[in-house]
Amino acid sequence: MLPDQWLSVQNTGRVLRDCAIIDPVELTLSPSWCIALQSDHPVAQRAAEELRAGLVQLGGPELALAAASDGPQLNLSHGLAGDGFVRAPAANGLALRGDGPRGLLYAVYDLLETLGLRWPSPGVLATPTPLPQPLWLPPSAISDHPALPVRSLVLGHDLFLAEAEAWIAWAARNRLNTIFVHTTIHEPALGACRLATWRARREQLLPLLRSYGMRIELGGHHLRDLLPRRFFRRKPELFRYDGQQRNPDHNFCVSNPQTHAILRQMATAFFQAYPEAEVYHVWPDDLRGHGWCQCAACASLSPADQVLMATNTLAEALVALRPTAQVSFLAYHDSAYGPKVQPHPAVVLLVAPRLRSYAVGLDAPANGPLAEQLSACVAAFGGGNPNSPQAKLGSFEYYLDGILFKSAPPPLPEVIASDLRYYQQAGLGSLHVLLTGDRPFLHAPPNAYLFARLAWEPQGDPQQLLNDYASARAPHHPPSLISAYRALSQAWQPVLNREPVLEAPPAPAHGLRDPITHPPTDLLDLLDITSRDAELRLEALHKATLQLEQGYAAWEELGAPNIPAAFAAEYAEWEVGAKLLTYIRLRQQLYVLVGRNASRSALREALTEAQRALDALYAWADTHVPKRAQANHRLLRAALQLQLDQIADQRIHNPFARLGLRARRAKDLVKLLPGMVPLAIVDCRL
């Protein structure tokens, strides 16, 4: 049994105590030991099985499982609920106790980590070299408790839902306790899982999720789906007034009681169809503006108030079915400013600061306006009130967003650590990271490991965690892998360093838009800055090439270009980030030359260089992107091509060549979007 002083885990993080009276020889694992567990809880059973398997992977014996034993044992036990745990030597061996079954599971993983196991990436297990012989159990007692109650991985694409088993196991082993399945019913499903795909997979995945003790959250931008568009012909007054007329394109009129009656009915059906979730996300359209009602009754309501009024109605429908379930209010884009409407008790806050600078943390002056938005939202949801549960305040972050970071999320150790400390200090207790993109990762970005570890303890040292990661991945030479990632992180700074996008969004486009004259852009495209800023950024990007050279040199120390098989996928992911930066630098050079009114020949030469860099990205994809994801990947890469085409169209080509360019791009997009008429109907603002 555990000593009395260790029976309760305190909210003070990790505590270590030496137990000098224990003879290490008595903690030497042998086949005479067993794993003793009296609980039949499925998560506790998973903990026992994981412990037995992990000890074997460390070179230890395969221990028997028993309800009790008089011999030496690893004694497992747990309380009713909680993620905290304790571990301490006991008279007959070693005792592990969790606050709840999930806490016991984390106690097992902590013990295995102490003995040398690591799970740096999904499907990757790192063991110590050489394996310890004999295997000594640690003689020290520890207690540990997460700083934040909800630590969530968001599965945001069918490609990742297809790999869900590996991601779920990895998440649990790194002490994330929530899987949020981000869904959509719209096509193309670029940043979310199809709801139908989740329906097809949930019978397989729900037992697995429950065996790891995972909380489940579900949903996405579904709010407009609760008011069927077919109602518009008969009841246009339910839909938003755009300043000129009623319009069924985006959200709806929140001042109309009939709208709320339909929302209740449709939301009830949604909640009944997906009873597995603890939190539902039913958000408005992903727009920066111009999506809400401006009728006389709604005109005085901010977008945040309109979103919350609708969300409150959903909460009323939800608690009638399941009193403990919750629905989220998304503070995002034009709803990021604190609402004045009082939130329903079942509504939780989810802040999504995508339009920010990722060169620095949210606590830096550059992100000051976003910090003000966060403070306003926290205050609106009872932040600072001791009666308001910490988990009701949450963030939705993008460190693994392959759309935002153009298929190559950069290493962000310091930013992640700074953000999570800031969120903790602001009173948030629920942290989510979006895993999405246009292709599956060959090897998960180190941001995944960093987020998971820092979500448990935001005060952790990000550089030490990067060292731990590198030691697990490259035990023969971790400094080289650390150098490679640091170089890539520094090289990304000129791209990430920008002011938050808080200005008024562009007016909505009416009619058709030509994607060559108006190419798609996103936060990191840097095409909307002043000439001087463009020049300074280009200078910084040129300097970043030195960092990339240092990164390549570090990989050479690890065996590149004939990289060992164990590193091939990780090197390929690092390399595509470097190649993307090369393209961005050459594209920036092209735009700077346009700003200088350079000659046509100079522009043509610069365009050729940038096109060569983009072709290198396509060549990388031909080798590394699986066939099932090629069209998805090329669709988003098409935005980069269209940005180059704009310069060719406006500054280089004659009228005949311009027509030819449009014909080629139309043909390309038809291949990617079967059955669609691309140049005529593609919305050119991602």
Side-chain angles (χ1 to χ4, degrees), residues 249-250 290 506-514 518 682-685:
D249 57 351
H250 296 302
H290 311 292
H510 297 287
L512 305 179
R513 299 185 69 174
D514 181 344
H518 299 86
V682 170
D683 181 355
C684 295
R685 304 296 293 185

Side-chain angles (χ1 to χ4, degrees), residues 362-558:
L362 281 170
D363 59 344
N367 285 316
L370 289 169
E372 292 177 8
Q373 290 179 352
L374 173 64
S375 296
C377 288
V378 167
F381 277 77
N385 181 347
N387 297 319
S388 178
Q390 187 186 24
K392 287 194 67 173
L393 307 175
S395 74
F396 186 92
E397 269 295 354
Y398 298 87
Y399 314 124
L400 299 174
D401 184 349
I403 295 178
L404 172 62
F405 294 114
K406 304 186 185 305
S407 200
L412 298 169
E414 299 294 345
V415 170
I416 296 172
S418 179
D419 285 354
L420 270 54
R421 287 193 294 265
Y422 179 78
Y423 285 136
Q424 181 189 21
Q425 292 164 4
L428 275 64
S430 174
L431 300 181
H432 307 259
V433 64
L434 175 63
L435 174 66
T436 191
D438 54 359
R439 62 177 180 87
F441 294 121
L442 304 173
H443 181 89
N447 290 347
Y449 180 81
L450 292 164
F451 172 81
R453 310 309 294 202
L454 288 164
W456 179 274
E457 179 45 80
Q459 302 304 319
D461 180 354
Q463 289 307 317
Q464 182 57 52
L465 290 172
L466 190 58
N467 292 349
D468 294 344
Y469 174 88
S471 296
R473 292 293 298 135
H476 61 294
H477 205 219
S480 295
L481 189 58
I482 294 168
S483 295
Y485 279 123
R486 283 179 177 163
L488 187 61
S489 178
Q490 292 166 3
W492 267 91
Q493 285 294 298
V495 180
L496 303 177
N497 184 20
R498 65 164 301 153
E499 294 296 319
V501 181
L502 298 179
E503 70 274 9
H510 297 287
L512 305 179
R513 299 185 69 174
D514 181 344
I516 290 178
T517 57
H518 299 86
T521 61
D522 201 359
L523 182 64
L524 301 179
D525 283 308
L526 310 175
L527 307 183
D528 55 350
I529 57 180
T530 67
S531 296
R532 175 165 175 73
D533 285 343
E535 296 268 4
L536 292 173
R537 203 172 299 273
L538 177 60
E539 182 180 346
L541 285 166
H542 280 308
K543 292 179 180 178
T545 59
L546 297 175
Q547 276 125 17
L548 292 181
E549 290 173 5
Q550 293 169 3
Y552 277 112
W555 276 107
E556 287 177 5
E557 294 172 358
L558 292 167

Side-chain angles (χ1 to χ4, degrees), residues 115-178:
L115 296 173
L117 284 191
R118 291 289 187 277
W119 301 274
S121 182
V124 176
L125 171 69
T127 57
T129 305
L131 291 174
Q133 291 295 334
L135 189 58
W136 286 352
L137 299 174
S140 298
I142 66 100
S143 68
D144 207 354
H145 191 282
L148 302 164
V150 177
R151 307 170 304 281
S152 167
L153 177 68
V154 184
L155 298 179
H157 199 284
D158 284 2
L159 294 165
F160 296 110
L161 196 55
E163 302 172 342
E165 288 86 350
W167 280 102
I168 291 167
W170 171 86
R173 289 164 180 164
N174 287 283
R175 303 187 211 169
L176 298 179
N177 65 0
T178 301

